[in-house]
Amino acid sequence: LRPSMRTLLLACLASGSGRAVRLPSSGLIVLGGSGGPPPAAAAAVADGRELRKQLSALRASSDWDGAHGLLWWALREAPSSAETIHCNVVLAALSDAAEWERALVLLEHMRAAGLPRDGYSFSSAICACARAGQPEAAVETFKAMCADDSVEPSSVAFNTALSAAQRASDPVRAAEMVLAIYTLETLSLQPDAWASAAALRAL
């Protein structure tokens, strides 16, 4: 991120809105974060185990908005109780709902806040982009995953990004994105048979 964009993002996060983030290499500003009050149960969150329990229950009931709001409340009011696993539960809920913008904001906040991002974090965000029909965002997020030295790119994330690129409405752009994924210098995995066949179809 350029210094001005980093300042904007951190200011939004500090204000509690979590509203803006610049997607890697794209210059696109997207919105995210929780604008409403957290669930009433938020006041009862005293430690990480209770927070995970409540987030998992909200995801199980398909209440992604409630899980999202509760996590942001915890990140603002009780940051010591929030860990990677809590963010991953919410990223999975956002993926289920194809809430790609909020997923990317949360993924970037994890980096800014020093919360380790793992393969599940990135895969959920990539899946959210793919389900929302956002191939560019899916590919850019996979690139960011490959560029993160602390994360090992997975076949699931690779295939999801590849599938999203393949379904782009512009065939030429689809081929460009597929080629970009396959020629990444930071790609450390061997594409499987499905991925190779999908790439050949797109090209």
Side-chain angles (χ1 to χ4, degrees):
L1 293 178
R2 297 195 305 271
S4 60
M5 296 307 305
R6 187 184 300 277
T7 300
L8 172 62
L9 171 62
L10 295 179
C12 290
L13 294 173
S15 69
S17 65
R19 292 275 176 190
V21 66
R22 182 174 183 266
L23 298 186
S25 307
S26 71
L28 175 65
I29 301 296
V30 298
L31 302 179
S34 176
V45 176
D47 58 44
R49 288 176 297 178
E50 179 63 20
L51 178 58
R52 180 179 180 181
K53 178 181 177 181
Q54 293 192 30
L55 290 172
S56 296
L58 289 165
R59 184 199 174 194
S61 63
S62 299
D63 185 1
W64 67 264
D65 192 41
H68 188 241
L70 176 57
L71 177 64
W72 278 102
W73 177 88
L75 289 169
R76 291 194 303 267
E77 306 299 331
S80 62
S81 69
E83 300 176 0
T84 298
I85 184 61
H86 304 118
C87 295
N88 282 352
V89 171
V90 175
L91 282 168
L94 294 173
S95 174
D96 293 341
E99 288 288 336
W100 69 284
E101 295 169 320
R102 289 177 173 82
L104 292 182
V105 168
L106 178 54
L107 190 69
E108 174 60 19
H109 175 74
M110 292 174 70
R111 185 201 62 76
L115 287 170
R117 301 180 296 181
D118 57 22
Y120 192 92
S121 311
F122 278 98
S123 293
S124 293
I126 292 168
C127 188
C129 296
R131 286 175 172 164
Q134 300 292 331
E136 299 268 1
V139 171
E140 289 299 319
T141 305
F142 180 72
K143 288 181 180 180
M145 182 184 193
C146 292
D148 192 322
D149 293 336
S150 65
V151 179
E152 185 71 25
S154 67
S155 295
V156 171
F158 178 83
N159 289 353
T160 302
L162 181 64
S163 179
Q166 188 184 14
R167 296 197 302 269
S169 57
D170 181 353
V172 174
R173 183 58 186 140
E176 290 175 347
M177 287 190 288
V178 168
L179 186 60
I181 293 174
Y182 258 82
T183 56
L184 277 174
E185 292 183 0
T186 51
L187 185 63
S188 59
L189 59 81
Q190 181 66 38
D192 59 23
W194 181 90
S196 298
L200 288 173
R201 288 194 297 270
L203 299 174

